[in-house]
Amino acid sequence: MKIAIPKERRPGETRVAASADVVKKLVSLGFDVVVEKDAGAQASVPDSVFKDAGATIAGTAADTFKDADVVFKIQRPILEGDNNELALMKKGAILIAQLGAATNKAEMEAYAKAGVTSFAMELMPRISRAQSMDILSSQANLAGYKSVLDAAHEFGRAFPMMMTAAGTIAPAKVFIMGVGVAGLQAIATAKRLGAVVTATDVRPATKEQVESLGGKFLVVDPEMEKDAQTEGGYAKEMPPEYFEKQKRVVAEHITKQDIVITTALIPGRPAPVLVPEELVKTMKPGSVIVDLAVEAGGNCPISELGRVVEKHGVKIVGHENVPGRLAEDASALFAKNLFNFIAPHVDKEAKTLKFDFEDETVSGTCITRDGKIVHPVLTGEAAKKKEEKKPDPEPSVAEKKDSDEKVTETTPAPKTPSAKKKG
């Protein structure tokens, strides 16, 4: 069975979906691994490293994809022009990558039409045994770390408090908005660098996590935040009134901050606006905003994708593909996620993959199969099930009264127990 690792061709992508360690493991399971020439060049993994691990190096994309049974990728395939990667894949091939399935339905339909079985790793269920397969967590962890380093690079002062003969330097104040994996790593990194850290999130369960890392949690509305998390552990989209209150609380806090790092994302939807332009205007000159959600529209609407800009005296960092700025580590973690995903489904005797489609990690990520889109999020089944789960609406006062009258008419009154007769 042939596993292909092509070179990533989307602009700005520096990662590769393999590492020497993962190639060795795949080869030991009996797979033939083919890596495209220079696929790992930008991740500091030369062809010789893959070759020493047991892979074959292919000279072109066509040779890499040719007859491949499985394709490991970072980004979804390109479908147009001379670099059309889907056209190079055979019918029945298995594609495993970050597909952006929820926002690229037309491309998913193209996979189905081409007869490709595809798995969108960004849809991995948030369950304990899937943690080692979760690309969002592994990549966000690195992004959170790098965001603090990027902020420190742009900030014109030191992070820790320094007591010198010439005077004392106050510590930097860092505010993290969104306490998922990226936010937690940002808190930990900023604390290690000596900053005073505060953080906020719509999920109240994160308060303890923030405090355990030495940060202080900024509460917006405890009541609304009680129901701010999905069953899968993701943040829900909050009502407009929550964001209005958040603006007031944050507006007061943000004027005192030196660095703001925003990480809030809602799967399949535009990033919520957390730092509007009017708040940027209130920040101190020389302050820094790092917008980790810039690729989804941005938590700060005046951030610019792929650029560091200065507006109203504030530097706004909008680097794209932040995990790719740590390409070697990001590639190694991503590759391990992919390996951990397929490992339970390897038939060691036949040296093939036999996916158990009853497995939650498989059914939760499978987008196309047998020429059809099968994921409930794209077929509409998820919305239908959600609608079916909705509790019945509360009856109106009139309905309650009518119901009470019917019960009175049909239900006999309980008998009053008679008093016991005295001896």
Side-chain angles (χ1 to χ4, degrees):
M1 194 170 197
K2 176 180 172 181
I3 296 181
I5 317 289
K7 183 178 180 179
E8 297 294 325
R9 286 177 165 77
R10 289 194 178 273
E13 186 53 75
T14 56
R15 295 168 291 177
V16 60
S19 64
D21 179 54
V22 164
V23 168
K24 283 178 186 175
K25 288 181 177 180
L26 292 171
V27 171
S28 71
L29 290 172
F31 296 113
D32 295 323
V33 181
V34 178
V35 179
E36 186 178 353
K37 186 177 184 297
D38 293 331
Q42 294 189 76
S44 305
V45 189
D47 294 339
S48 58
V49 170
F50 286 130
K51 194 172 181 180
D52 291 344
T56 301
I57 306 300
T60 66
D63 290 339
T64 307
F65 282 105
K66 186 179 179 182
D67 299 324
D69 301 290
V70 182
V71 176
F72 278 7
K73 281 187 98 296
I74 299 286
Q75 300 278 3
R76 67 190 191 279
I78 294 173
L79 305 187
E80 59 280 333
D82 296 335
N83 290 325
N84 190 326
E85 295 170 297
L86 185 61
L88 299 175
M89 296 172 64
K90 73 176 185 180
K91 186 176 182 180
I94 297 168
L95 170 65
I96 308 174
Q98 181 170 324
L99 302 179
T103 53
N104 295 287
K105 189 175 180 182
E107 294 187 23
M108 305 305 114
E109 289 170 348
Y111 301 163
K113 190 175 179 181
V116 169
T117 299
S118 61
F119 294 92
M121 293 298 288
E122 73 275 8
L123 297 179
M124 184 62 64
R126 287 288 175 94
I127 55 177
S128 296
R129 67 185 178 87
Q131 287 179 357
S132 66
M133 313 171 195
D134 189 347
I135 62 165
L136 294 184
S137 291
S138 72
Q139 303 303 291
N141 195 44
L142 291 171
Y145 164 78
K146 186 63 173 172
S147 70
V148 177
L149 300 190
D150 287 338
H153 176 73
E154 301 297 339
F155 190 46
R157 286 173 34 211
F159 262 52
M161 179 169 67
M162 294 184 182
M163 300 181 73
T164 75
T168 301
I169 296 172
K173 294 179 180 177
V174 178
F175 182 38
I176 313 295
M177 302 185 75
V179 189
V181 174
L184 289 170
Q185 184 57 249
I187 292 167
T189 304
K191 285 298 293 182
R192 284 196 292 267
L193 289 178
V196 174
V197 183
T198 52
T200 188
D201 194 285
V202 297
R203 296 163 294 182
T206 60
K207 183 176 185 290
E208 288 182 15
Q209 295 171 313
V210 170
E211 292 172 347
S212 72
L213 292 170
K216 184 177 179 182
F217 192 79
L218 184 70
V219 177
V220 174
D221 187 315
E223 284 303 311
M224 287 191 194
E225 289 166 356
K226 282 180 182 176
D227 188 35
Q229 184 170 305
T230 66
E231 291 178 6
Y234 296 98
K236 282 185 182 178
E237 186 168 19
M238 299 296 282
E241 55 268 30
Y242 177 85
F243 289 111
E244 286 303 313
K245 188 163 187 179
Q246 184 185 55
K247 281 180 188 176
R248 293 194 297 273
V249 174
V250 169
E252 184 180 340
H253 186 68
I254 212 168
T255 58
K256 305 166 190 172
Q257 304 305 301
D258 299 305
I259 289 164
V260 176
I261 297 173
T262 66
T263 72
L265 286 167
I266 300 165
R269 298 196 181 188
V273 174
L274 302 183
V275 188
E277 187 170 4
E278 56 265 29
L279 279 191
V280 177
K281 292 176 182 177
T282 69
M283 294 179 70
K284 295 183 287 186
S287 300
V288 177
I289 297 171
V290 180
D291 191 346
L292 285 182
V294 66
E295 289 173 294
N299 296 141
C300 178
I302 57 174
S303 62
E304 296 183 21
L305 180 61
R307 297 187 64 200
V308 177
V309 295
E310 187 168 331
K311 297 181 180 180
H312 310 298
V314 177
K315 283 188 178 180
I316 305 172
V317 181
H319 292 307
E320 61 182 325
N321 188 17
V322 176
R325 291 165 59 76
L326 297 166
E328 189 172 352
D329 285 336
S331 298
L333 294 179
F334 197 106
K336 194 67 180 291
N337 291 148
L338 300 189
F339 177 79
N340 290 338
F341 172 59
I342 70 165
H345 309 284
V346 174
D347 185 327
K348 294 181 181 177
E349 290 184 9
K351 297 178 182 178
T352 59
L353 281 177
K354 291 185 178 178
F355 283 107
D356 174 9
F357 285 91
E358 297 299 314
D359 186 317
E360 199 174 346
T361 66
V362 176
S363 61
T365 56
C366 186
I367 300 297
T368 58
R369 184 186 177 200
D370 299 330
K372 296 182 292 186
I373 290 179
V374 296
H375 199 283
V377 167
L378 297 179
T379 60
E381 288 299 312
K384 195 185 293 182
K385 284 179 182 177
K386 192 174 180 182
E387 192 66 31
E388 288 171 359
K389 279 184 179 180
K390 276 188 179 178
D392 292 333
E394 282 288 319
S396 65
V397 174
E399 287 172 331
K400 278 184 177 179
K401 185 178 178 183
D402 184 50
S403 175
D404 290 343
E405 286 171 357
K406 285 177 181 175
V407 169
T408 303
E409 288 169 7
T410 58
T411 308
K415 292 180 180 179
T416 305
S418 56
K420 286 183 180 178
K421 291 181 180 180
K422 291 183 181 178

